[in-house]
Amino acid sequence: MRFQNKADYWLWLVAVALAGWVIPGGGHFLIRQPKRGMIIFITITLTFGLGLYLGSIGIIDSVGGWAWYIAQMMATPAVWILDHLARHGAYQSYGRPCDLGQIYTAVAGLLNLLAVFSAVYMAYAGRGEFIGREE
Amino acid sequence: MSALLYGIMASFTQPENIATSPAFMLWMFPLLAAIAVIYKTTKLRALLTKVFLRETLVLFGVLSGFMILAIVVLNLLVWLITR
């Protein structure tokens, strides 16, 4: 993709990162890698959804579980809305379901962070390029 | 339709009942599968279906093998300490 100036180029990279954060796999769709985008979207949505199903939305807690919350926020900014819902409702989650739910949702968030880095690097280095070497 | 939708949404407001048993460990496999899929999606230069599936399965197998080994070693350690 060609850009008029450097500011446009940086804006493009930011747009790719934001798209990947708002909708998992969105960054890859923007850089015309729809197959990757679709796989990332389905996998991260299912992982995050399974975590919420196991532990309920009570596992999203920006006050008591702020470290988990940071990782969960990497999946999508919609977590912020879920946190508000969870805090204003009486959704409690303890024990094993809470542990599993937090692990699933946090890992989904961190995997999305990896996907965002991948999309931004592909946008930066050109189509077909990726971080590190192929395995 | 709306009853079904409310039913689905309601299932996200109550935690599932998960017992403390060795079967609890099986919950790691979907997570390992997700890690393998995303990692390979970001790493493969060309996303050919056959290659992608093979590479993902290999990585999933390696991750699962390592986790099972870790479980065995940790259980062995606990058994040695507490016997």
Side-chain angles (χ1 to χ4, degrees), chain A:
Chain A
M1 192 173 278
R2 292 189 175 195
F3 297 95
Q4 299 270 331
N5 52 47
K6 217 167 181 178
D8 281 359
Y9 175 64
W10 285 106
L11 209 64
W12 167 243
L13 295 183
V14 171
V16 169
L18 275 177
W21 180 45
V22 173
I23 302 166
H28 286 88
F29 272 102
L30 269 190
I31 58 167
R32 293 182 193 151
Q33 296 272 336
K35 210 170 166 185
R36 287 182 211 270
M38 192 56 84
I39 294 170
I40 290 167
F41 177 77
I42 292 170
T43 310
I44 288 175
T45 307
L46 279 179
T47 310
F48 195 86
L50 186 59
L52 281 184
Y53 176 74
L54 291 173
S56 85
I57 62 168
I59 57 165
I60 296 172
D61 181 6
S62 60
V63 181
W66 61 269
W68 292 105
Y69 181 71
I70 292 170
Q72 288 161 344
M73 269 297 277
M74 301 295 158
T76 168
V79 168
W80 182 77
I81 300 166
L82 289 174
D83 177 50
H84 272 257
L85 279 175
R87 271 197 287 156
H88 293 102
Y91 307 111
Q92 299 291 331
S93 188
Y94 299 105
R96 295 275 182 191
C98 181
D99 291 344
L100 264 182
Q102 281 181 326
I103 291 168
Y104 265 77
T105 48
V107 169
L110 295 175
L111 285 174
N112 194 41
L113 185 66
L114 175 70
V116 167
F117 278 130
S118 158
V120 171
Y121 191 79
M122 280 181 184
Y124 168 76
R127 201 171 171 190
E129 295 299 322
F130 51 82
I131 303 166
R133 62 184 170 80
E134 189 175 29
E135 290 180 2

Side-chain angles (χ1 to χ4, degrees), chain A residues 35-36 39 43 47 49 52-54 56-57 91-92 96-97 100 103-104 118 128 130-135, chain B residues 11-16 18 20 24 27 30-31 34 37-45 47 49 52 55:
Chain A
K35 210 170 166 185
R36 287 182 211 270
I39 294 170
T43 310
T47 310
L52 281 184
Y53 176 74
L54 291 173
S56 85
I57 62 168
Y91 307 111
Q92 299 291 331
R96 295 275 182 191
L100 264 182
I103 291 168
Y104 265 77
S118 158
F130 51 82
I131 303 166
R133 62 184 170 80
E134 189 175 29
E135 290 180 2
Chain B
S11 66
F12 289 90
T13 59
Q14 287 291 321
E16 286 299 295
I18 297 167
T20 306
F24 169 75
W27 280 107
L31 201 60
V37 168
I38 296 292
Y39 183 77
K40 281 299 167 188
T41 308
T42 59
K43 269 290 181 186
L44 289 176
R45 189 177 290 274
L47 217 59
T49 310
F52 174 70
E55 293 276 327

